[in-house]
Structures are given as C-alpha cells and as structure tokens.
Amino acid sequence: MAYPLQLGFQDATSPVMEELLHFHDHTLMIIFLISSLVLYIIMLTLTSKLIHTNMMNVQEMEMIWTILPAIILILIALPSLHTLYMMDEINNPLLTIKTMGHQWFWSYEYTDYEDLAFDSYMITTDSLKFGELRLLEVDNRMVLPTDLPVRVLVSSEDVLHSWAIPSLGLKTDAIPGRLNQVTLTSMRPGLFYGQCSEICGANHSFMPIVLELVPLKYFESWSTSLA
C-alpha cells in the first residue's frame, strides 16, 4: 500500500501492473527527452541574434520535424496497445467473483460456490484494533488465491461506484444495470487496499476495499469453512 510522502506508484503485485509501470517509465523518458530538447531550443533562441538566414527555408529541417514526431508517437503507441490488450484479456479464469457496489459498502458473491456471499463494511475508527489502518479496514475481506486467473464481475445496485486496487492495476466502474469484468492474477500473497474511486455520495470516502491473497490450500480451507 502507499506510504506517507510517496511520490511513485505502489509496488506491482500483478503482471498487468508491472506492464503499466514499464509503460509509465518508457513514456516518461520520452517526455523528458522532448522537454530537454524544447528547453535547449528556447534557450538558444533567447541567446542568439537570429541572423542565420539559411535556416529560413530548409526542406530537410521540415522533413525532420514532421517525421520525428510520427516516430515518437509510434514508439509510444506500440507498448500502449500491448498493455491495453493484456489488460482486457481473460484466459480461462478458474474463479469468478461478483462484486456489487452499494451506498456505502461492497458485497461479494463467489459464484462458483453455492452459498458463499457476504457484505464488506468499513470498520469505524473507534472499533479499530492496534495496527489496523483508519478508513481502510473492513469487517469482511475479499479472499482470493494467488497465482491463479480470477475474473471479477463488477456492477452496482444504486449509483456509480468504482472498484479500484492500485497495486494490482485494477480500476473498474460499477454501473447500475451494466456488468463490467476485469481479470486479476497475483504473484505474491498479502493484503492489498483500495477504495471507491467514483464520487458516489456523502459517504464516498468510507467504502474501502481489502483484498487478501493467500496460497490455494489456505483459500480452500477458508471457503470450506464459510460455504
């Protein structure tokens, strides 16, 4: 999760988030090079007398400043499309979770099990235990196995919500009457926090998401105890 005064992204937990971080670094380097070049040209323009008349009509220069931006756009578009298709791809999910947004809590239903569903409410400040995080802890965590493709179906029963977990690179709108889906695969166990990322009313800030990722054998024990 994020920590105070953090300037960068959270550590990646899924292959999709790793690709997003790589694309961010790739694009940021291109922006840095373009900004340096523009700053150099501006400084050169301000410090010179602009008496080089041979630069007023140079076809080679016009070709360069037309072709070079096109090449830069291609260098940005190719990895962007790769990451975009990777985010939308769903390869035979082994587990499906239906997530419903409410004002102001989440409900989860494990559709592969007969009676495994629960609501997830934020724990109030006066009920927190030592070491728990204010405005981020819930009474019922969403538990999933690691290293397995999981499909999450997201919708809403009242207003617009958004189910988002930054460390997994997930952000999906919960829209009433519409079913959106997203796939996730975690590479390591742990607790991962998120929040509703769509302004949904007075208590928008009080519907956190806690995802607990555990090895498969522990997930089977947990699901058996609740089902």
Side-chain angles (χ1 to χ4, degrees):
M1 62 172 294
Y3 55 85
L5 302 179
Q6 180 176 346
L7 297 179
F9 292 97
Q10 298 183 25
D11 293 337
T13 309
S14 66
V16 170
M17 189 57 185
E18 282 192 348
E19 290 294 328
L20 290 173
L21 292 179
H22 292 159
F23 176 69
H24 170 266
D25 296 340
H26 169 75
T27 309
L28 192 63
M29 184 55 64
I30 293 177
I31 293 174
F32 174 76
L33 294 175
I34 293 174
S35 302
S36 300
L37 178 61
V38 171
L39 181 62
Y40 171 73
I41 294 175
I42 290 175
M43 296 301 296
L44 199 62
T45 303
L46 293 176
T47 55
S48 65
K49 296 183 180 180
L50 299 176
I51 57 176
H52 202 317
T53 57
N54 292 331
M55 296 294 291
M56 300 300 293
N57 186 19
V58 181
Q59 298 295 328
E60 292 79 6
M61 182 66 71
E62 293 182 3
M63 290 180 62
I64 290 174
W65 71 44
T66 302
I67 295 175
L68 187 59
I71 295 175
I72 293 174
L73 289 176
I74 292 173
L75 293 176
I76 295 176
L78 291 179
S80 173
L81 290 173
H82 174 266
T83 306
L84 183 63
Y85 279 102
M86 183 178 178
M87 293 173 65
D88 287 337
E89 186 176 3
I90 297 180
N91 292 322
N92 300 323
L94 299 180
L95 186 65
T96 300
I97 314 295
K98 187 173 72 173
T99 302
M100 298 295 294
H102 308 265
Q103 287 184 312
W104 289 270
F105 65 96
W106 296 97
S107 61
Y108 302 106
E109 179 182 347
Y110 292 69
T111 58
D112 298 287
Y113 296 83
E114 187 173 352
D115 292 316
L116 184 51
F118 52 84
D119 296 330
S120 180
Y121 289 86
M122 186 194 74
I123 298 177
T124 57
T125 303
D126 55 355
S127 300
L128 289 174
K129 299 178 182 178
F130 180 77
E132 292 184 336
L133 302 171
R134 179 177 174 270
L135 301 182
L136 287 177
E137 297 291 348
V138 296
D139 54 355
N140 292 308
R141 296 169 177 170
M142 180 180 178
V143 181
L144 292 176
T146 58
D147 300 318
L148 292 177
V150 178
R151 176 174 57 189
V152 181
L153 304 177
V154 182
S155 186
S156 172
E157 285 197 356
D158 36 50
V159 299
L160 291 176
H161 300 280
S162 184
W163 196 78
I165 301 180
S167 58
L168 288 169
L170 299 178
K171 185 178 185 296
T172 306
D173 289 336
I175 304 172
R178 179 173 177 176
L179 204 61
N180 291 330
Q181 68 177 3
V182 65
T183 182
L184 65 92
T185 303
S186 173
M187 300 176 296
R188 56 189 173 91
L191 281 178
F192 305 98
Y193 294 88
Q195 289 178 302
C196 177
S197 298
E198 186 76 41
I199 297 177
C200 56
N203 292 332
H204 157 68
S205 302
F206 308 114
M207 48 184 305
I209 303 160
V210 182
L211 181 59
E212 183 176 355
L213 292 163
V214 298
L216 180 59
K217 62 178 181 179
Y218 295 109
F219 172 77
E220 291 177 342
S221 301
W222 172 85
S223 59
T224 303
S225 64
L226 294 181

